[in-house]
Amino acid sequence: MKKKELKRKRNEDPDKENISAVEILPAKRLSDEPLPKKVKWINKQRVLVFATRGISYRHRHFMHDLKTLMPHHRPESKMERTKNLQVVNEMCEMKNCNKTMLFEGRKKRDLYLWFSNVPVGPCAKFLVENIYTMGELKMTGNCLRGSRPLLSFDENFNTKPHYSLLKELFVQIFGVPNHHPKSQPFFDHVYTFTVLDNRIWFRNFQILTEDGGLAEIGPRFVLNPIKIFADSFGGEILWDNPTYISPAKFRQSLMKKAAGKYINKVEQKIAQEVNKPKESYSLNPTDEIFKGDPLEKALELQQEEVKVMQRNKVSITVCNKV
């Protein structure tokens, strides 16, 4: 009998715990009473953040800064560049992630960033420009680690369809889910996304006061959109940036301009030497008289005249003798 009673008690305990966990709001509640905390984690967004081999140290620090801002991320080791990007979908499935951020470095100087919704899509590819990490900025300000951010978007995100699509993608990736185990239930910083010069500018501000006082704490970067794909890391191209110029072509154009400047300088020198006159200007022999002290010049001229007179006398005497 005792064993049966113990079994009944064990079976009844979990039901009582579930009933106590889900608290029902009373009909009347005072305004000072805090709301009962929801223990259930509903929005289970997990973002896989990792990079390919070949990124520089600055890009690695920048990736680490973004990881600290996203408590709902999951890390992964570096991926080989020879692999196809479709492998990322399998990696996200193994890590139980539905979003991903892939940092792809090229030539130790260019950084490309992929945002993707796994496995359905869409997927966006960006060129990251003007990167400033938290360590480089050294700005005053400090926010709570793991706190939830407020996302602020520019009005230009509602003007064009590809910007509205990117806005929804940023909201799902950068937004920290409510009641996440690693997050804090406070809002003490703001992420601002601004569209300017066909690029998306990211800034991170700390909320200092309730009046709206802000202080930038970093990091800061600029996203230059390249393409938007229908599927995750592939599929049909939904949008292509017509004004995009790859950094390699941009550097090549700068080198061509520099080479053109050098060639123009050489050609100008050759033309100057060909057209250069033999005498720059006609010299006046009397100008030498006015150089130096006039008294000394007069004495020199007198001595020269005396020498000339003596020479003439000598030549006349020689002629008479002959």
Side-chain angles (χ1 to χ4, degrees):
M1 292 295 290
K2 290 181 180 179
K3 289 182 180 179
K4 289 181 180 180
E5 289 176 357
L6 288 171
K7 284 182 181 179
R8 285 176 186 174
K9 286 181 181 179
R10 286 175 185 172
N11 293 331
E12 288 175 358
D13 287 336
D15 295 334
K16 290 179 181 178
E17 289 176 359
N18 292 331
I19 291 166
S20 62
V22 181
E23 296 181 1
I24 301 170
L25 288 173
K28 292 182 180 180
R29 184 176 63 86
L30 298 174
S31 60
D32 296 335
E33 283 185 29
L35 289 170
K37 186 179 177 182
K38 274 190 178 180
V39 182
K40 196 173 181 182
W41 177 28
I42 298 170
N43 182 19
K44 296 190 177 182
Q45 294 285 346
R46 300 181 184 90
V47 184
L48 186 67
V49 183
F50 66 109
T52 60
R53 292 194 179 276
I55 64 171
S56 64
Y57 69 96
R58 289 186 72 249
H59 299 160
R60 189 173 65 252
H61 291 309
F62 169 63
M63 182 178 67
H64 180 69
D65 290 343
L66 289 183
K67 284 182 179 180
T68 55
L69 296 178
M70 301 166 63
H72 60 293
H73 84 278
R74 288 199 174 179
E76 179 62 29
S77 59
K78 292 180 182 178
M79 188 182 74
E80 296 291 339
R81 292 179 61 185
T82 55
K83 291 183 180 179
N84 191 6
L85 292 179
Q86 293 292 334
V87 182
V88 180
N89 298 327
E90 298 177 4
M91 295 168 69
C92 292
E93 187 178 355
M94 292 169 63
K95 287 282 186 177
N96 195 17
C97 296
N98 50 7
K99 301 288 186 299
T100 182
M101 288 175 62
L102 175 62
F103 293 80
E104 184 181 359
R106 294 180 186 174
K107 296 183 180 180
K108 293 286 185 178
R109 58 172 69 180
D110 303 327
L111 180 64
Y112 294 90
L113 185 56
W114 294 79
F115 293 93
S116 179
N117 182 23
V118 180
V120 183
C123 176
K125 183 181 180 182
F126 298 91
L127 173 67
V128 188
E129 300 172 345
N130 299 334
I131 300 172
Y132 293 94
T133 60
M134 289 182 180
E136 290 175 347
L137 289 174
K138 295 180 181 178
M139 291 182 172
T140 57
N142 186 18
C143 64
L144 188 64
R145 187 183 179 92
S147 60
R148 300 180 66 201
L150 297 173
L151 303 181
S152 174
F153 289 90
D154 190 12
E155 294 179 354
N156 295 322
F157 278 94
N158 300 324
T159 56
K160 295 182 180 179
H162 64 278
Y163 283 143
S164 59
L165 178 63
L166 293 176
K167 176 182 177 181
E168 184 62 29
L169 194 62
F170 290 151
V171 167
Q172 295 183 14
I173 290 176
F174 287 99
V176 179
N178 194 11
H179 302 297
H180 191 275
K182 293 183 180 179
S183 68
Q184 300 290 338
F186 306 105
F187 294 95
D188 60 352
H189 60 289
V190 185
Y191 299 160
T192 61
F193 297 89
T194 310
V195 177
L196 182 65
D197 194 18
N198 296 324
R199 290 168 173 82
I200 299 170
W201 300 65
F202 176 88
R203 295 290 184 271
N204 182 19
F205 295 95
Q206 181 194 356
I207 302 172
L208 297 176
T209 58
E210 296 180 358
D211 301 335
L214 301 175
E216 188 177 357
I217 55 178
R220 60 165 68 165
F221 58 92
V222 180
L223 296 174
N224 188 3
I226 302 172
K227 289 181 182 180
I228 299 176
F229 300 93
D231 299 334
S232 180
F233 294 98
E236 185 182 357
I237 298 174
L238 299 178
W239 178 79
D240 191 2
N241 190 358
T243 61
Y244 171 72
I245 299 172
S246 65
K249 285 186 179 180
F250 181 71
R251 288 191 294 268
Q252 189 177 4
S253 65
L254 292 178
M255 290 174 67
K256 283 183 179 179
K257 284 182 181 178
K261 286 182 180 179
Y262 175 73
I263 292 168
N264 290 333
K265 281 184 180 179
V266 172
E267 289 178 355
Q268 286 176 4
K269 283 184 179 180
I270 293 170
Q272 186 179 5
E273 289 178 358
V274 170
N275 299 324
K276 186 177 180 181
K278 294 181 180 178
E279 293 182 358
S280 60
Y281 57 92
S282 59
L283 297 174
N284 190 0
T286 59
D287 291 340
E288 295 181 358
I289 298 171
F290 302 101
K291 291 181 180 179
D293 190 6
L295 296 174
E296 291 180 358
K297 284 287 182 184
L299 292 172
E300 288 179 1
L301 291 172
Q302 285 181 359
Q303 290 175 3
E304 287 181 359
E305 287 180 359
V306 170
K307 288 179 182 179
V308 171
M309 293 290 290
Q310 290 176 357
R311 287 174 188 171
N312 291 333
K313 288 179 181 179
V314 171
S315 60
I316 291 167
T317 54
V318 170
C319 290
N320 290 331
K321 288 180 181 180
V322 173

